[in-house]
Each structure stands twice: as C-alpha cells, then as structure tokens.
Amino acid sequence: MSYDSIFENLNSHGQGHLLKYWPDLTEKERAQLLSDLKKIDFAEVNELFRRANDTSKVILEEKVEDLKPIPDSHYEAVPNLSNEKILEYENIGLKEISDGKVGVLLLAGGQATRLGFGHPKGMYDVGLPSRKTLFQIQAERIVRVQQMAAEKYGKEGKITWYIMTSEHTRGPTADYFRSHNYFGLNEEDIVYFEQGTLPCFDFEGKIFLDEKHHVSSAPDGNGGLYRALKSQGVLADIAKRGVEHLHAHSVDNILIKVADPVFIGYCKSKNADCAAKVVQKSTPSEAVGVVCRVNGHYKVVEYSELTDEAAESRTADGRLTFSAGNICNHYFSSQFLTKICNFESKLKLHVAKKKIPYVDHEGIRQKPTEPNGIKMEKFIFDVFEFAENFICLEVARDVEFSALKNNDAAKKDCPSTAREDLLRLHRKYVREAGGIVEDNIDVEISPLLSYGGENLEDLVSGEVFAISPYHLKSMQESTANGNGVNGTNGSNGTH
Ligand code: UTP
C-alpha cells in the first residue's frame, strides 16, 4: 500500500492525524509507522470504539433490572462439603488428568501497570524463602498434580499448559521458561499463544500516537482469549490432544490451585460447560465483581454497577445476597470454547479510562497524570451468559485466593500480602499434619511436595518449627539442591 492510499484511508476514517509527523520521520521510522498502520482495520476499530461506548450505557441501564443471585441448584461451597464429597470430586478430576483430558489456560498477557514491574508478572518473586516466582510455583503445582493422578490411577496423563501472552510478554515468557528448563515440565506440553491488541483512543475517538512513528495500542483484555484461541490454532491443538476440560485463571493469584482436580471433578459430575470459582465477598463495599443472574443470564456485575441496596442486601442467614465474588478462575469444556470462539466478535467491549502517554500537537510525548483516553477490553467472563449449564464453586479465600495487583505502597493485593497469605496457608497445612509452628515462623511448602496440604504427615508430625525460614521440599528437590534455603535453616522437614 502506498503512502497516498494509506493517507486517504486514514482521512476517510477521521484518523488522518496519525500521519502528522510523517515529514519529520527517518526512512526506518516511516517503515515502522506504516507497519503499525497496516495492521489496523480502521473501519473495524472505529466501530469498536462506538460499540464500546454503547456497551457502557447498556450496563448502566441493566443494573436496575432483574438481578438475582446464583440459584442453589447451580452453586456449591467447598467449605460446606463433606470430606467424602470433596474426595469424590477430586478423584473424578484426577482420573481426567490421568487420561490426558485436562488443560490449563493461563492468562498472562496483562501489562501489570499497577505493580509496575518491567517483566511479565509471572516472573515476579514475592520474597518467599525459596524465592520462587509465580510461574515456578504454578509449574510445580502442575508437576505435582500430574504425579497425584499417576499415584491414584497408575498413569501420568500430561496436562497441557496453554499460556496466553501479549506482544510484550511473549518473548520474555518463553525465554524465562526455556532458561529454567520448563521447571520440570515437558517443553511440548507448554503452548504459548499471543492475544491481539487494539489502538488506544482519546475520548473523542481519535487514536493516539505513542511516538511520532508508533501508534498507541494495548492488549485487548483477558477476553481477547477467545479470538486468540481461534486465530492462533489453540482450539485445533486442544482437539488434537483430546483435551476436554480447561481450567482458566489469572497469573497473579499466588494461591491458585492449578488444574484443580476438585473443580474439574465438580464440573464434570454436573455436566457443566462453563463454571466460575468464587469467594465470599467480605464486605458490601469490597471492590470485587459478583457472579449473579441479570434478566435470567449469568453475568459478572462489577461492584461499581451494583446499587447500594443490592450490595448491602442479606439473606435470612446473614450472608450477603450477592456474595459470589469473581476471582478470574474459570472452567470451560472444550466444546463450549469451540462454540464461543465462533462468535467472539459479538462479545461485549468494556471501556477503561486510563492515563495514556501520547504525542501532543507540538510533537512532544506527554505522560498524563489524569485519565485522558480509553483502552478497550474484552473480559473473559462475558461468555457466562452463553453457557447451557453454568455452575459456581465457592472456595475459601484463605486457601485459594490472594492476588498480586499492586506494589507494596498500596498495602493490599501486593507482594507482601501475597507472601504472607501463602505462608499463613502453609502454616495451617503444617498444623493440620501434626506439626507445631507459631504464627511468627515462616514455613514454605514446595508444590513439588504437596499440592494442597496432602503428603505432609510423615515429614512434619510432631516436629517443632522454631527458627525461620523453612522450605519443606520433596525428596527429589532436596537431593538435587541440598536442604538449605539460601544457606539458612531450611530443610525438608527437620533441622
Ligand atoms: P488485570 O486486569 O488485573 O491486569 O488482569 P494486569 O495486567 O495484571 O494489571 P494492570 O491492570 O495492568 O495493573 C487479570 C489477569 O488477566 C490477564 C492478566 O495477565 C492477569 O492474569 N490479562 C489482562 C491478560 O491476559 N490480557 C489482558 O489484556 C489483560
């Protein structure tokens, strides 16, 4: 395409300003800008901008309509289940893993702007005694749950780990796994794919220039998953490998039970095509979306969309009526994913007002301190309403959810809370297995030793944990790396 035809095309779509600095650019910069521009279908993105604005209006209107909690028939809570029931679900899930029918969809394409970390968030180390990163913890949980499936059913079916990245996270993510030898997983069982991007707009619908020769763009949200699954051949890979159950979750929950057999077993036994794990909302004002029914459809209603009355309403037993807090932790059958990916272009678009760096009228790059434009995003949960059998599984927050969103200055959902939440859970596991540990002692349990508190009795029963930090490891790890944690008190069970 020549400069003239591109110029004409941009002008006809009201985006001619993107070529304003053309005369100032070097040949190389011109080539870069043209390459950016060629990737954009301007008619389509203008239409998306229009639709995204309409969507926000629809959401505002919807909140006054028929809002109901998830019916009991579609809801179970792990803390209320008997041990027998949990074991029954777990065994069903382990059988599916053993048969190679389970995959994990990891959402790792975000920009981690609040955390302010210049690398993919999965590479973050929250300062555990082992210094393991989020990626390593998750990889090792996969190794362990495969082992549990093999112990139970005599066959170690491999879990395929589908990792969604974006243009900025793909290279570093793949390099990271390669340089750590895939943390004990097989290279062929990790499949990276890349989500798309969308241009960033000002409030009037003009696309920003990030630099004179570079159009401003951002990943298209975690709901960009569906488009990417199709366009990057992941659906075909899922079919080829015979994967039937997909556990999808965000990268930043340090307590995530990756490929959770209880969740998989629950969904399989209920014949669900789509499901969400939820935690009880802690207070009416907690900033978390709730899973509920709006006009008969399953949806996540953002906390800002709930009226005060709905947020504060309680059931007869004192629970919040709308208490199913969404934690970006979902189940999809492969059939459901195939169906959804065929009409993903119809999914809702959300508008996020952001501070977007841009090149101003004088050609100077500005970094605004207030939101100056919008990013458009699709959300993974917007497909719930298309499920034929959607169900929820409530899980205990202290066991399964602690998100890493901010830096420590926020004092909330930050590295120190993630670290403390994990260590608190691991102390609990040690106590349940008969170990003696005070609250001020750090004991970390390697995922290679225990996925969810199992397999600890022999190691910790009757042991007193007195001098921090401890890192309880599997036999294999201890042999490979020695017992110590950075030369201190760590051990695989005793000093
Ligand atoms: P968040 O919405 O919390 O975004 O993502 P983030 O990138 O982690 O952090 P901020 O908002 O920039 O500070 C929730 C999950 O969805 C993934 C993230 O990687 C995280 O696991 N995500 C988000 C994507 O995979 N792609 C996106 O476009 C956005």
Side-chain angles (χ1 to χ4, degrees):
M1 224 190 244
S2 68
Y3 169 85
D4 285 345
S5 61
I6 288 188
F7 183 68
E8 210 172 290
N9 182 31
L10 288 180
N11 256 346
S12 68
H13 290 103
Q15 306 290 357
H17 60 283
L18 294 173
L19 287 172
K20 177 170 177 183
Y21 301 103
W22 184 264
D24 304 353
L25 303 182
T26 64
E27 278 310 305
K28 197 170 159 210
E29 289 170 337
R30 287 180 175 184
Q32 276 177 4
L33 182 59
L34 282 183
S35 146
D36 277 6
L37 295 173
K38 277 183 200 161
K39 284 187 210 145
I40 302 171
D41 177 338
F42 287 94
E44 186 191 19
V45 295
N46 279 353
E47 174 58 15
L48 290 179
F49 176 82
R50 192 194 60 73
R51 253 184 62 204
N53 281 327
D54 283 356
T55 305
S56 15
K57 285 180 209 142
V58 171
I59 289 173
L60 288 174
E61 281 157 18
E62 260 179 1
K63 74 179 174 193
V64 292
E65 296 191 28
D66 181 25
L67 185 70
K68 293 214 166 62
I70 306 294
D72 289 348
S73 55
H74 290 237
Y75 196 95
E76 285 187 12
V78 172
N80 301 339
L81 295 178
S82 65
N83 287 343
E84 290 72 34
K85 196 72 196 171
I86 294 173
L87 197 62
E88 180 190 319
Y89 288 151
E90 182 176 279
N91 285 340
I92 297 172
L94 289 175
K95 177 77 172 78
E96 296 304 291
I97 292 172
S98 169
D99 287 342
K101 293 182 182 168
V102 173
V104 171
L105 286 171
L106 177 65
L107 307 172
Q111 294 177 302
T113 38
R114 284 168 288 173
L115 182 63
F117 181 51
H119 308 279
K121 211 193 258 185
M123 287 167 61
Y124 201 85
D125 151 20
V126 301
L128 291 168
S130 67
R131 307 312 301 249
K132 288 178 184 173
T133 61
L134 294 172
F135 277 147
Q136 180 168 4
I137 293 168
Q138 291 171 35
E140 293 185 351
R141 287 188 186 142
I142 294 179
V143 172
R144 171 71 191 147
V145 79
Q146 288 180 162
Q147 202 178 57
M148 287 161 68
E151 282 162 13
K152 181 84 200 166
Y153 291 103
K155 192 167 77 157
E156 189 180 289
K158 294 294 178 202
I159 291 168
T160 311
W161 200 8
Y162 296 101
I163 302 183
M164 182 168 85
T165 58
S166 54
E167 61 179 348
H168 302 295
T169 64
R170 184 175 187 142
T173 300
D175 289 347
Y176 181 70
F177 276 96
R178 196 179 311 111
S179 64
H180 289 84
N181 216 7
Y182 309 98
F183 298 109
L185 293 164
N186 293 329
E187 182 182 355
E188 61 274 18
D189 295 327
I190 304 183
V191 177
Y192 313 97
F193 63 108
E194 192 175 317
Q195 68 179 108
T197 56
L198 285 171
C200 302
F201 287 83
D202 71 12
F203 296 124
E204 272 68 53
K206 300 280 183 210
I207 295 172
F208 282 119
L209 276 176
D210 184 46
E211 290 175 72
K212 288 179 179 176
H213 60 281
H214 185 41
V215 177
S216 171
S217 68
D220 55 357
N222 57 23
L225 170 74
Y226 305 108
R227 181 175 209 155
L229 284 178
K230 194 169 179 194
S231 69
Q232 307 265 306
V234 178
L235 279 184
D237 189 84
I238 287 172
K240 193 179 87 199
R241 293 178 192 244
V243 172
E244 292 180 12
H245 314 278
L246 282 305
H247 183 196
H249 61 81
S250 56
V251 70
D252 51 18
N253 174 8
I254 197 164
L255 303 184
I256 185 74
K257 288 193 167 179
V258 191
D260 179 16
V262 174
F263 192 34
I264 307 280
Y266 168 63
C267 292
K268 176 160 168 80
S269 71
K270 303 285 176 197
N271 208 12
D273 52 355
C274 177
K277 268 195 192 186
V278 296
V279 296
Q280 261 197 55
K281 206 174 149 177
S282 54
T283 59
S285 58
E286 191 191 0
V288 59
V290 286
V291 187
C292 43
R293 278 191 310 163
V294 181
N295 302 329
H297 297 293
Y298 291 103
K299 288 198 173 159
V300 173
V301 174
E302 294 292 346
Y303 64 97
S304 53
E305 297 162 11
L306 268 190
T307 59
D308 289 349
E309 195 193 348
E312 279 158 26
S313 115
R314 291 190 185 264
T315 58
D317 61 3
R319 276 172 60 127
L320 291 171
T321 309
F322 298 101
S323 65
N326 181 46
I327 53 171
C328 196
N329 192 329
H330 311 307
Y331 166 88
F332 302 113
S333 72
S334 52
Q335 270 181 355
F336 177 74
L337 275 185
T338 308
K339 177 176 97 176
I340 287 301
C341 291
N342 282 332
F343 61 89
E344 71 74 34
S345 60
K346 298 197 177 62
L347 289 184
K348 209 181 282 173
L349 275 164
H350 298 258
V351 169
K353 292 184 179 162
K354 299 268 180 175
K355 298 171 212 163
I356 303 167
Y358 66 102
V359 178
D360 71 10
H361 295 303
E362 271 79 53
I364 297 162
R365 191 170 192 269
Q366 302 287 351
K367 279 191 164 182
T369 50
E370 293 301 320
N372 62 328
I374 65 156
K375 291 185 180 178
M376 293 185 295
E377 294 184 325
K378 288 182 179 170
F379 290 166
I380 187 166
F381 55 67
D382 277 331
V383 300
F384 291 176
E385 60 183 292
F386 305 109
E388 278 164 30
N389 186 19
F390 175 82
I391 58 175
C392 275
L393 185 67
E394 181 188 307
V395 296
R397 189 187 285 246
D398 64 337
V399 179
E400 299 208 25
F401 184 57
S402 174
L404 175 62
K405 298 289 181 194
N406 309 309
N407 61 38
D408 269 337
K411 297 195 168 66
K412 184 172 164 279
D413 299 336
C414 58
S416 47
T417 55
R419 178 180 177 279
E420 287 312 312
D421 287 343
L422 183 130
L423 293 173
R424 190 180 312 115
L425 176 64
H426 287 191
R427 273 195 295 272
K428 176 174 144 156
Y429 286 155
V430 167
R431 287 174 188 146
E432 283 169 0
I436 296 146
V437 55
E438 296 290 331
D439 282 348
N440 60 342
I441 300 293
D442 291 347
V443 184
E444 179 189 354
I445 303 167
S446 166
L448 295 173
L449 172 65
S450 179
Y451 177 84
E454 81 293 343
N455 202 26
L456 295 174
E457 281 88 345
D458 287 352
L459 208 57
V460 308
S461 184
E463 292 287 339
V464 178
F465 292 83
I467 309 165
S468 281
Y470 289 86
H471 181 207
L472 306 184
K473 302 175 193 166
S474 69
M475 206 51 96
Q476 216 178 1
E477 262 178 309
S478 304
T479 318
N481 310 327
N483 279 346
V485 176
N486 304 328
T488 61
N489 304 312
S491 77
N492 67 342
T494 52
H495 284 310

